[in-house]
Amino acid sequence: MSETSRIETAEIADADLDNIAGGLSVSGSVEGLTAEFTQGPNGLPVLSGGSIDSVSITVKDIPLGLGSVTG
C-alpha cells in the first residue's frame, strides 16, 4: 500500500490573482520519469508512453484576505 500525503486546496478569485505584486513563487519536482518514443512521420520521435512515480508542486505568496497561503 502506498503512502498518500494530504492535499490542501483553496479557491482563488481571478481578481485576487490579478492583484498579486511580484508574482507567484512556484517550485516542484518529478521523480521516476520514464518516456517511450516511436518513430513518427519524417523520422521525428513521437511520445508513445511513459510513467511518473511522483510529482510535487508548491505555490507560495498568494494573498487571501488578511493572511496569505504559503507552501
Side-chain angles (χ1 to χ4, degrees):
M1 185 174 235
S2 65
E3 293 183 26
T4 304
S5 299
R6 189 183 79 159
I7 297 174
E8 292 185 31
T9 61
E11 187 171 323
I12 303 168
D14 288 339
D16 292 336
L17 289 176
D18 291 341
N19 293 324
I20 294 174
L24 301 175
S25 171
V26 180
S27 63
S29 65
V30 176
E31 293 184 27
L33 173 64
T34 60
E36 301 164 6
F37 296 90
T38 59
Q39 188 172 4
N42 300 322
L44 297 174
V46 176
L47 181 63
S48 60
S51 65
I52 297 174
D53 290 338
S54 67
V55 175
S56 172
I57 187 167
T58 302
V59 179
K60 295 182 180 181
D61 303 326
I62 302 174
L64 294 175
L66 300 175
S68 65
V69 174
T70 59

